[in-house]
Amino acid sequence: MERVETCVRYIREKTGFEPHTALVLGSGLGGFADNVKIEAVVEYGEIEGFPVSTVSGHKGRFVLGYVGKEPVAVMQGRVHYYEGYPMRDVVLPIRVMARLGARRLILTNAAGGIHPDFAAGALMLLTDHISSFIPSPLLGPNEEAFGLRFPDMSEVYSRRLRTVAEEEAGKLGIPLKQGVYLQTTGPNYETPAEIRMFRTLGADAVGMSTACEAMTARHLGLEVCGISCITNLAAGISKAPLSHEEVKATADRVAEDFQALLRAMISRMTEL
Ligand code: HPA
């Protein structure tokens, strides 16, 4: 709590801007920040105690401003558990954005496709997630000011925001798949046997982020939406070895559609 407050105080010294929607941009999706009418930019590195990403393709800054009429806080780059930060640090930015005023959170990521109907370049709306392969970000003493000790997770990804995403994708003619996201710790990609297991468990896509952030946001009472860019078919489904280069190249290819969808969705947020 104290660390969150320190970060919030620092940002508040730079800007009084109050976001209503928070957005986390995943691998290769950082270009969305160009859609923001910028009010303030805060580099993660400036903020004392704030975790800084080390991954190529991930910048590290908050972009605060407007998308249409909606005041947003955009994370251009996130930190991952595999970078060695404790879960508490990985999810700290979510708590900071909530304290700045965000009531809704849109999470994006690059993910490997497990569902047999998915192709590289597909967009998938998260209907649910499996977080059982990572430590919960809520382990340890509960901070009552954040939320309940035993928070409900029966609708992590808001039905209402899913409907908005489906409607806007439909209007734009952008195909939008739906499915269950499974978070691993990374940093290695999975083995084919692990992917077969994840499929059996009900996962449609696999990645190294998002579920921990979504759980933290639900703990805080935020309304959450998640969208994956299926950048590759998961191990064993894909015949070729997986690489971060492929992940970035596919994300770049789909970026235009992904950004159009995010713009349209965020413009609808002012109604909510
Ligand atoms: N596995 C895990 N994380 C990923 C993948 C994958 O295949 N693609 C992009 N992020």
Side-chain angles (χ1 to χ4, degrees):
M1 183 59 151
E2 234 170 79
R3 280 183 64 200
V4 171
E5 288 306 321
T6 306
C7 296
V8 168
R9 250 194 320 272
Y10 178 82
I11 296 169
R12 278 281 165 258
E13 278 168 20
K14 292 196 74 172
T15 175
F17 186 79
E18 232 185 77
H20 287 175
T21 296
L23 173 65
V24 181
L25 299 174
S27 287
L29 308 169
F32 180 80
D34 296 341
N35 293 281
V36 180
K37 195 167 135 281
I38 295 179
E39 294 279 325
V41 172
V42 185
E43 302 283 338
Y44 301 156
E46 299 172 36
I47 310 169
E48 194 190 315
F50 202 86
V52 179
S53 172
T54 56
V55 190
S56 93
H58 283 264
K59 279 197 186 163
R61 56 186 207 159
F62 281 116
V63 175
L64 302 164
Y66 292 90
V67 173
K69 291 199 169 65
E70 180 70 358
V72 297
V74 179
M75 285 183 69
Q76 205 172 13
R78 56 152 65 89
V79 293
H80 299 81
Y81 185 58
Y82 63 70
E83 294 179 71
Y85 290 103
M87 265 301 172
R88 192 179 301 118
D89 290 15
V90 174
V91 302
L92 176 112
I94 304 299
R95 291 173 167 155
V96 168
M97 292 191 292
R99 283 287 293 135
L100 289 175
R103 319 163 188 162
R104 295 179 277 275
L105 172 66
I106 302 176
L107 295 165
T108 69
N109 61 55
I114 301 179
H115 192 288
D117 290 351
F118 290 0
L123 298 180
M124 183 190 90
L125 184 62
L126 274 65
T127 55
D128 205 346
H129 72 222
I130 296 171
S131 71
S132 317
F133 296 91
I134 56 164
S136 170
L138 308 177
L139 286 174
N142 187 52
E143 191 71 64
E144 292 292 330
F146 289 147
L148 299 174
R149 171 75 288 189
F150 301 109
D152 174 59
M153 293 286 151
S154 49
E155 191 186 309
V156 174
Y157 303 92
S158 150
R159 193 164 284 284
R160 173 166 96 139
L161 295 186
R162 267 144 62 194
T163 303
V164 169
E166 285 177 276
E167 287 173 358
E168 295 306 315
K171 281 190 221 162
L172 291 164
I174 297 171
L176 185 61
K177 307 280 189 190
Q178 302 206 4
V180 173
Y181 177 92
L182 184 148
Q183 180 175 355
T184 67
T185 64
N188 52 284
Y189 293 115
E190 303 70 33
T191 64
E194 285 163 347
I195 293 300
R196 286 193 297 275
M197 171 179 71
F198 293 163
R199 181 74 200 134
T200 304
L201 295 177
D204 298 301
V206 60
M208 306 174 193
S209 65
T210 300
C212 59
E213 296 156 340
M215 284 189 281
T216 303
R218 290 304 299 141
H219 182 232
L220 291 158
L222 304 194
E223 198 174 2
V224 179
C225 188
I227 306 177
S228 292
C229 173
I230 305 297
T231 52
N232 57 282
L233 297 181
I237 300 174
S238 164
K239 301 288 170 271
L242 309 191
S243 74
H244 189 51
E245 282 60 45
E246 178 191 9
V247 167
K248 284 192 288 189
T250 310
D252 281 348
R253 177 160 66 76
V254 187
E256 204 175 309
D257 271 4
F258 207 158
Q259 291 187 24
L261 177 58
L262 288 173
R263 262 195 314 271
M265 285 173 61
I266 294 170
S267 298
R268 287 277 302 277
M269 298 292 162
T270 40
E271 298 168 19
L272 304 178

